[in-house]
Amino acid sequence: GFARYNAGGIQVYINLEDYESTIIGKYAGDSLLGTKRFRNVFIGYKTGQFSVDPVENILIGWEAGKNIRTGSNNIILGRNTDFGAINNVNNVIAVGFENLINSAVDNTITIGRSNSNYGVNTITLGNTNISQGSNNLISGINNINYGNDVIMLGNVNNIIQPINNSLIIGNNNLIDFGASTGTGNSNV
């Protein structure tokens, strides 16, 4: 197992069983003792604190990836960038401050501040964006998207109803197709 040393309030784990992991920081990887933890790097206060069976993850920053339970091949960099207490998230890159990756969101990239990502295969760039759908590219500030296969570029765009296969470019667009105007699919 790991040997845990307290060096002036900072926990340092030394790998004794060839798990090839590095864990440094107070409360970092606290739930890992006695579990598998192959090839991980956790650096920072409460980084990976509740991880139980992660493989090949890099978590760096104050509470970065604190709630990731299981999963592999994730890179989480930044203060409070986290996974919202979920299991089995794979192939995620999240960089920035207070980004939240929810649900099963494999194959996503989130870069910026205070972005929330709820869909798979999605790229979210900027600040305070919310993406609920899958296969999306969202870039800008204060954008909200509930559709799939959407490219949204700009600021303060709000897609209230789910739309699919659409391109939204510009600022201050409000799209609420509702039941009376059709499906809201394939829009430009």
Side-chain angles (χ1 to χ4, degrees), residues 170-185:
N171 299 321
N172 301 308
N173 293 301
L174 174 62
I175 300 174
D176 185 357
F177 288 102
S180 63
T181 59
T183 63
N185 294 322

Side-chain angles (χ1 to χ4, degrees), residues 11 28 49 54 56 68 76 82 132 156 163-164 168 176 181:
Q11 294 181 127
Q49 182 179 15
E56 297 179 345
I68 184 175
I76 311 299
D82 203 4
Q132 291 278 48
V156 195
I163 63 169
N164 300 307
I168 313 298
D176 185 357
T181 59

